[in-house]
Amino acid sequence: MRHTPHFLLSDVTEVKRVVRENPWATLVSHTAKGIVASHYPVVLEDGPADEISVVSHVGRPDEVAHELGSREVLLIVQGPHGYISPSWYPEGDLVPTWNHVTAHLWGTPEILSAEENYAVLEALVDLFEQRMPRPRSLRMDEDQSRRIARGTVGLRLRVTRFDARAKLSQNKPADVVTRIVDELETDQPYANAALAGEMRRFHGSGSTAVGPGGGSGGAR
């Protein structure tokens, strides 16, 4: 990503939050046959505060296409993002922008055993089903669930480095930021409640998670 020091997201805790709240990720591999990209849900694992580890799965034969386990991959996590109209700026400012929260995570995947993969799939379903009024679970028909699971390959990505951005109008005066948030929360074109919430969270908290001095961070 473009090196913009005042948009760097350097706090590991904040990067983990972005992953946790935006679990649909893009997996990119530079293989012997070229660049390969796939899209899968990821689950953030519990662990030390200064480490980032995620588990996921791919459908066969994506593990072959990505040459998983043999080289470093890039995992892209995209948080809230959206168009910012110059009509929300003072008169005379005509240049729009796009606010976003994005994290690039690197590491070499570890291939999980069949049993570990099934546990990940089970946890994934439980994670998303917990919001439903009548949650479904793989445990309701374990035989069928295990048959389907054989068509997937589980992986763990222990992140060795990351590069993250939270571009949330930090370069604008407070009154302009307020106007942008207000516009994002209307029912007008380009309304974006999720992005407005991210901006309120950052600007309202006086967070120091974004700033110069280590956005291209690492995690052991």
Side-chain angles (χ1 to χ4, degrees):
M1 287 185 281
R2 180 186 175 194
H3 185 73
T4 47
H6 48 298
F7 299 143
L8 290 178
L9 185 58
S10 57
D11 188 319
V12 175
T13 301
E14 276 296 291
V15 174
K16 292 169 80 167
R17 180 188 66 84
V18 172
V19 175
R20 185 181 297 108
E21 295 180 1
N22 302 278
W24 183 246
T26 300
L27 179 69
V28 183
S29 303
H30 189 185
T31 73
K33 294 183 179 180
I35 296 174
V36 178
S38 298
H39 312 273
Y40 289 99
V42 298
V43 175
L44 185 70
E45 290 194 294
D46 292 332
D50 62 343
E51 296 180 8
I52 303 173
S53 178
V54 300
V55 287
S56 185
H57 69 280
V58 299
R60 298 182 187 275
D62 266 10
E63 83 284 8
V64 177
H66 281 271
E67 300 175 2
L68 290 182
S70 64
R71 64 189 72 207
E72 186 179 61
V73 301
L74 166 63
L75 190 72
I76 302 174
V77 177
Q78 179 69 70
H81 63 93
Y83 179 75
I84 306 300
S85 170
S87 67
W88 305 339
Y89 296 161
E91 199 68 33
D93 195 337
L94 305 177
V95 181
T97 192
W98 201 281
N99 278 1
H100 66 95
V101 179
T102 309
H104 290 181
L105 314 172
W106 285 270
T108 300
E110 304 168 14
I111 304 303
L112 302 181
S113 68
E115 198 58 38
E116 289 174 317
N117 178 43
Y118 186 77
V120 167
L121 294 172
E122 192 173 54
L124 185 71
V125 173
D126 289 346
L127 174 66
F128 293 108
E129 280 292 310
Q130 65 183 341
R131 299 183 183 181
M132 300 301 293
R134 298 176 62 190
R136 299 289 180 91
S137 168
L138 299 187
R139 292 180 293 278
M140 292 177 170
D141 189 340
E142 187 169 339
D143 288 342
Q144 180 190 47
S145 298
R146 286 186 177 275
R147 285 196 299 272
I148 295 173
R150 287 197 286 269
T152 68
V153 175
L155 63 93
R156 172 176 288 108
L157 188 70
R158 302 183 194 274
V159 177
T160 56
R161 59 192 174 98
F162 68 82
D163 186 11
R165 299 288 186 278
K167 181 179 178 294
L168 300 170
S169 301
Q170 295 95 314
N171 57 336
K172 296 296 182 182
D175 61 321
V176 175
V177 170
T178 298
R179 171 77 184 275
I180 293 170
V181 172
D182 288 346
E183 292 290 346
L184 289 171
E185 291 181 331
T186 67
D187 59 357
Q188 300 301 310
Y190 303 113
N192 189 326
L195 182 57
E198 200 72 26
M199 291 183 66
R200 283 192 183 280
R201 185 179 186 280
F202 173 75
H203 291 281
S205 66
S207 171
T208 57
V210 181
S216 295
R220 289 202 306 268

